Amino acid sequence: MPWAAGSATGIGSHPGTAMADALGVAFELPLPYLPELPARGPGADMLGRTMGLLVDMPVELYAARWQLTGRPGKDARRTADLWARDLDALTVAADGYAGPLKLQAAGPWTLAASLQLPVGGAVLRDRGAVRDLVDSLTEGLRQHVAAVSARVPGADVLLQLDEPSLPAVLAGHIGTESGLGVFAAVPRPDATEALARLMAGVGVPVVVHCCAPDVPVGLIRAAGAVGVALDLSLLGDIDPMGEALDDGFGLLAGVAPALGRASAKVAADRIEDLWNKLGLRPADLPGQVVVTPVCGLAGSKPEVADATLRACAEAGRRLLER
């Protein structure tokens, strides 16, 4: 696994607008990461940040939606400025660091369901546009990983692709712009191929995060991911997850509440209960599982978010010691 046994990490988003503060907490964890601060406005959230990584595919905000455009404008400049400042803050926070470092970006299918074509309608409706988007995102992420690696030479980068829309894309539940219809379901082989092409192109291990029910664990595994991140409370049929874990697949287990008080003991017990229910070897648990909140922490108060992450770290230690 591209993380140490007994690890914990965050999903991505933090409250507030101070990147230095968020990085300070993130680097207390066994698996540190570069946080997202959506409170800073457009271009700072999961979608906006990822749009800023696209290569030769400029976007702009139009009627509160991200839309492809002919040339970069003020929205692109704002996002690029946020990225530059975040990477500068990361360089300071990670000075002398050596070890795993997680980066997050929206995955291709969530982007395709969210990004609008210049003529209107989601990219998802146009297969050619989807291919172009996957290629652009792959190159953008490859460059992003290279930039982070240059600034933090001791980092072993792990990429998290956020795909909350993936189950809806596969089921044909993404609504059209009018709200009167839905886009056709994307065949699973097509969805797998696009993810596999991206994962092969970025050149680092990838985990896929999906905070929706019906996470397609088998598809994510077939695409080449080293693990999946999900909310354990939304895991329905546990058999596909058990098969994957038995084969050495990684699990970023969302067990700590994003809002409210988190308990390290409760978090560790929930993971251990699932492991035992699946009949897996107890000795494998600390190495394969990373403890996380159930989702991003942007909706929490800063002190609550910090306490949640520290509870995750304590839960990871408990699993390692059992």
Side-chain angles (χ1 to χ4, degrees):
M1 295 288 100
W3 52 73
S7 279
T9 193
I11 291 300
S13 67
H14 277 236
T17 59
M19 180 57 73
D21 293 345
L23 281 166
V25 178
F27 270 82
E28 292 180 8
L29 300 171
L31 177 52
Y33 59 102
L34 177 58
E36 301 157 1
L37 301 178
R40 295 181 297 178
D45 61 307
M46 176 189 76
L47 287 174
R49 281 166 74 80
T50 307
M51 301 293 184
L53 297 176
L54 296 175
V55 174
D56 296 329
M57 197 171 256
V59 299
E60 64 180 353
L61 274 174
Y62 178 75
R65 295 186 178 204
W66 289 100
Q67 184 178 53
L68 290 169
T69 186
R71 59 185 179 185
K74 61 181 178 60
D75 298 316
R77 290 192 295 271
R78 180 178 57 245
T79 303
D81 179 64
L82 287 170
W83 267 123
R85 285 190 275 159
D86 289 353
L87 291 179
D88 286 345
L90 174 65
T91 304
V92 174
D95 183 35
Y97 174 77
L101 175 62
K102 182 166 71 72
L103 306 176
Q104 302 86 222
W109 292 110
T110 293
L111 279 189
S114 305
L115 179 60
Q116 303 295 300
L117 294 164
V119 295
V123 167
L124 187 62
R125 80 178 194 183
D126 185 324
R127 288 191 176 188
V130 170
R131 284 194 299 272
D132 291 343
L133 179 64
V134 173
D135 290 343
S136 174
L137 180 60
T138 302
E139 179 58 20
L141 288 172
R142 189 192 65 76
Q143 292 181 14
H144 181 50
V145 167
V148 170
S149 298
R151 287 171 175 262
V152 191
D156 296 316
V157 174
L158 169 68
L159 176 63
Q160 173 185 305
L161 291 178
D162 291 308
E163 283 283 19
S165 299
L166 180 57
V169 166
L170 295 171
H173 291 164
I174 299 295
T176 58
E177 192 174 22
S178 68
L180 301 177
V182 293
F183 294 106
V186 172
R188 292 177 76 90
D190 292 354
T192 306
E193 187 276 334
L195 283 169
R197 186 153 48 91
L198 187 150
M199 291 182 198
V202 296
V204 295
V206 176
V207 297
V208 175
H209 168 238
C210 184
C211 52
D214 303 319
V215 178
V217 175
L219 184 157
I220 291 168
R221 185 179 167 205
V226 299
V228 64
L230 47 78
D231 179 347
L232 225 55
S233 69
L234 298 179
L235 187 60
D237 182 5
I238 64 173
D239 289 340
M241 190 75 252
E243 179 183 344
L245 291 170
D246 190 44
D247 199 36
F249 200 55
L251 171 63
L252 277 67
V255 288
L259 301 172
R261 185 180 177 188
S263 164
K265 181 180 184 305
V266 170
D269 287 348
R270 285 188 60 200
I271 293 170
E272 194 169 47
D273 287 347
L274 173 65
W275 204 263
N276 292 336
K277 187 181 296 185
L278 292 170
L280 301 170
R281 285 183 359 115
D284 294 336
L285 191 161
Q288 282 181 247
V289 177
V290 178
V291 185
T292 78
V294 295
C295 59
L297 299 172
S300 288
K301 295 181 178 179
E303 61 272 17
V304 174
D306 295 354
T308 297
L309 291 173
R310 289 173 181 136
C312 289
E314 174 60 26
R317 288 191 290 270
R318 285 173 178 257
L319 292 172
L320 187 59
E321 293 167 359
R322 290 182 179 182

